[in-house]
Amino acid sequence: MRKKFLFVTCLCTFTAVLVSSLSGQVKFQELRNGLRDPSRWLMYSGDYTGQRHSPATQITPANVNRLSAQWTFQTDLSPYMSTGRSGGLQSVPLALDGVLYFAGSHNVVWAIDAHSGRQIWQYRLDMPADVPSTTSRGLTRGLSMLGDRLFLGTLDAHMIALDIKTGKVVWDTVIEDYHKFYSVTSAPLVIGENKVVVGIGGADRGPYRFFLDAYDTQTGKRIWRFYTVPSPGEPGSETWPNAEAMARGGGGTWVTGSYDPELNLVYWGTGNPNGAGDTRIGDNLFTSSLVALDGDTGKLRWYYQTVPHDIHDYDADSIPVLADVGIGGQPRKVALFAPKTGYLYVLDRATGKLIAAHAMVEGAKNWAKEMGSDGRPILTKEDGTQCLPDLHGGTNYWPPSYDPVQGLFFVTVHEVCEIFNLAQPGQSFAAIGSWTIGGAGYAALRAFDPITGKQKWEYRYPPSDFGLTGVSQARSGGGIGLSGGLTSTASGLIFTGDNEGNFIAFDSRTGKPLWHYQTGSPVW
């Protein structure tokens, strides 16, 4: 059998020598400093804001066409292909002092020399044979770091600390029973001097309620847990019909959140509720929401529910982007949030109050005409004619980016919509087919002013690049269309990838594609 390989490719314009000393000792203050040193990328989103905006200026729209491949690192994951889980890399490499640390599918972790691509060490988790093959499809999206340790959440629902110099396990803590489909795919997030926060996935397969955990980075002991579905008698329980519905409430937390050290608030999106709509009458808090938690205690400080009583699988597992903007002549600390509904929400990140909501795709207003003064969506009446954002959303988990100087929010959207039947008894979601906007449907890279909601520019990916002409094909192919994350730079570039295997650079001011490199595999 031919082996399958995955690739990490380094593309460089200038050959600055990077020394792989493995002397890394990352302090919390360095995490707070974020991307002040552009040669470091110390967490999943680059810094706590989730903006994914690099201050690097060496590569510009004028010279980006000089990028060329310097080395390729092959990651042989063929032994895992027989498990029924997919291959592929969806993680973000962390960069520290000339070394790249990244996780691949099936909880494999590498440290490699960033200058040469030479492997320094590798860690492979020996997972139990009975971990369900459907568990989160084998994906591991990233790591976090603090001190001399890397932190990894595993598919069999463990939290692990690895020695950054050797890749050896320092501690290993069981989060939950993987037999119940609990698993971790997202990168953990270090907050404070001694805590690492991790979300949990599997809610679409396991009939349980889900949560966020914080662990002590030195010992692995759990410090706090926040359930995204309350227990009877707790705040929010009045939005569920009974204890049984809450016990299987869902609300997975499988995308990495953001953090404001000054407010000491952790921001995290939550997934859709479990169960048929008629068995869980009510808003079903705190599912399909953005929650803000106290970093010390895990207590809920505020929430904003994007979809009360979600019956369309419009979970809010997206990355909150924190920004300081001017609104009405006044400085505001906001969270920009773009989940599957196809709306871009602008929230006060201290209070959770909705400031504005802007439609990013055409089908969004077919679902909700607008947001009311109380922040709740004013829904359209579904009579079998409205074409709403499909089950995979106007956008989804792939990271957006924000340029604070231009004041532009960059996001990949899908203009694919779907008509839903009114749910029949016993049904969770009741899509009846796939109709697309503007013909065959398409994916696009768009730039929005988050204050006015005005779209500044758009780049439409070719239909062959999108690879999907409707929801049925997306489902049968097991994919969600174009889903490469975005990174913008202070020099005016956006980097992303597409389904055709291209690593692409765009001009962030105009949306013009400037350069691409063919990797040989779809970029997710």
Side-chain angles (χ1 to χ4, degrees), residues 176 180 182 200 203 206-212 225-232 234 240 243-252 274 287:
E176 268 292 353
K180 298 178 180 179
Y182 290 111
I200 196 84
Y208 307 99
R209 61 181 186 146
F210 284 68
F211 50 84
L212 274 174
R225 172 170 288 184
F226 170 77
Y227 281 99
T228 58
V229 174
S231 294
E234 293 180 345
W240 294 83
E244 179 185 357
M246 282 184 278
R248 54 174 171 77
N274 250 329
T287 64

Side-chain angles (χ1 to χ4, degrees), residues 13 80 132 147 229 292 321 476 524:
T13 303
Y80 296 95
V229 174
V321 176
S476 63
W524 283 9

Side-chain angles (χ1 to χ4, degrees), residues 415-432:
E415 286 286 11
V416 178
C417 68
E418 187 165 13
I419 294 176
F420 291 79
N421 264 332
L422 296 178
Q424 302 301 310
Q427 287 182 307
S428 296
F429 312 112
I432 62 171

Side-chain angles (χ1 to χ4, degrees), residues 314 338-344 358-368 387-390 392-396 398 411-417 437 442-444 446 448 453 455 458:
Y314 284 167
K340 290 167 68 173
T341 62
Y343 273 93
L344 171 58
H358 310 296
M360 299 184 297
V361 298
E362 292 185 43
K365 289 197 172 183
N366 291 337
W367 167 69
C387 199
L388 282 57
D390 75 337
H392 298 313
T395 187
N396 206 299
W398 44 86
V411 62
T412 299
V413 300
H414 289 174
E415 286 286 11
V416 178
C417 68
I437 296 174
Y442 60 91
R446 289 176 178 167
F448 290 95
Q455 180 181 306
E458 170 191 82

Side-chain angles (χ1 to χ4, degrees), residues 9 49 59 66 73 84 164 183-184 190 198 233 265 270 277 315 325 357 374 398 416 440 455 499:
T9 300
T49 68
I59 305 172
R66 292 168 54 193
F73 177 74
I164 201 168
S183 66
V184 179
V190 169
V198 66
L265 288 182
T270 71
D315 52 300
V325 302
D374 58 357
W398 44 86
V416 178
Q455 180 181 306
N499 268 4

Side-chain angles (χ1 to χ4, degrees), residues 148-451:
D148 59 357
R149 297 177 184 182
L150 296 168
F151 303 98
L152 168 72
T154 72
L155 295 176
D156 58 348
H158 285 229
M159 189 68 186
I160 292 176
L162 302 176
D163 185 283
I164 201 168
K165 296 180 181 180
T166 65
K168 302 296 185 183
V169 174
V170 179
W171 52 254
D172 182 340
T173 298
V174 176
I175 297 174
E176 268 292 353
D177 182 359
Y178 65 82
H179 294 98
K180 298 178 180 179
F181 292 94
Y182 290 111
S183 66
V184 179
T185 58
S186 60
L189 181 68
V190 169
I191 65 168
E193 300 283 355
N194 71 325
K195 286 187 286 294
V196 57
V197 179
V198 66
I200 196 84
D204 286 338
R205 296 175 178 83
Y208 307 99
R209 61 181 186 146
F210 284 68
F211 50 84
L212 274 174
D213 277 356
Y215 292 90
D216 187 296
T217 56
Q218 290 299 309
T219 66
K221 181 180 179 181
R222 194 172 82 199
I223 298 173
W224 53 253
R225 172 170 288 184
F226 170 77
Y227 281 99
T228 58
V229 174
S231 294
E234 293 180 345
S237 61
E238 70 280 1
T239 66
W240 294 83
N242 51 52
E244 179 185 357
M246 282 184 278
R248 54 174 171 77
T253 51
W254 50 270
V255 171
T256 303
S258 302
Y259 177 59
D260 186 329
E262 293 182 1
L263 297 175
N264 193 26
L265 288 182
V266 178
Y267 305 90
W268 219 280
T270 71
N272 52 274
N274 250 329
D278 59 318
T279 66
R280 49 177 175 81
I281 300 301
D283 283 356
N284 308 143
L285 292 174
F286 299 94
T287 64
S288 299
S289 299
L290 177 62
V291 296
L293 309 180
D294 184 284
D296 292 333
T297 65
K299 300 296 184 183
L300 181 69
R301 294 274 288 273
W302 61 257
Y303 72 91
Y304 178 76
Q305 190 172 42
T306 57
V307 189
H309 191 70
D310 184 3
I311 59 171
H312 297 119
D313 197 13
Y314 284 167
D315 52 300
D317 279 297
S318 299
I319 298 174
V321 176
L322 312 184
D324 296 339
V325 302
I327 300 178
Q330 298 295 320
R332 298 289 295 272
K333 294 182 179 295
V334 302
L336 308 175
F337 195 52
K340 290 167 68 173
T341 62
Y343 273 93
L344 171 58
Y345 301 88
V346 184
L347 300 157
D348 185 302
R349 72 172 184 263
T351 66
K353 180 178 174 58
L354 180 68
I355 298 171
H358 310 296
M360 299 184 297
V361 298
E362 292 185 43
K365 289 197 172 183
N366 291 337
W367 167 69
K369 295 178 288 185
E370 59 183 334
M371 303 301 142
S373 58
D374 58 357
R376 293 175 65 90
I378 299 174
L379 302 177
T380 59
K381 183 178 180 180
E382 294 185 52
D383 59 7
T385 64
Q386 290 85 5
C387 199
L388 282 57
D390 75 337
L391 289 176
H392 298 313
T395 187
N396 206 299
Y397 62 85
W398 44 86
S401 183
Y402 176 72
D403 184 331
V405 176
Q406 294 191 69
L408 290 180
F409 184 85
F410 307 109
V411 62
T412 299
V413 300
H414 289 174
E415 286 286 11
V416 178
C417 68
E418 187 165 13
I419 294 176
F420 291 79
N421 264 332
L422 296 178
Q424 302 301 310
Q427 287 182 307
S428 296
F429 312 112
I432 62 171
S434 174
W435 285 260
T436 56
I437 296 174
Y442 60 91
L445 173 58
R446 289 176 178 167
F448 290 95
D449 180 332
I451 307 307

Side-chain angles (χ1 to χ4, degrees), residues 10-16 57-70 493 495 503 505 515:
C10 176
L11 299 113
C12 305
T13 303
F14 309 100
T15 56
T57 57
Q58 189 178 36
I59 305 172
T60 70
N63 66 24
V64 68
N65 63 348
R66 292 168 54 193
L67 283 173
S68 62
Q70 301 298 292
L493 292 169
F495 290 96
F503 179 42
W515 166 90

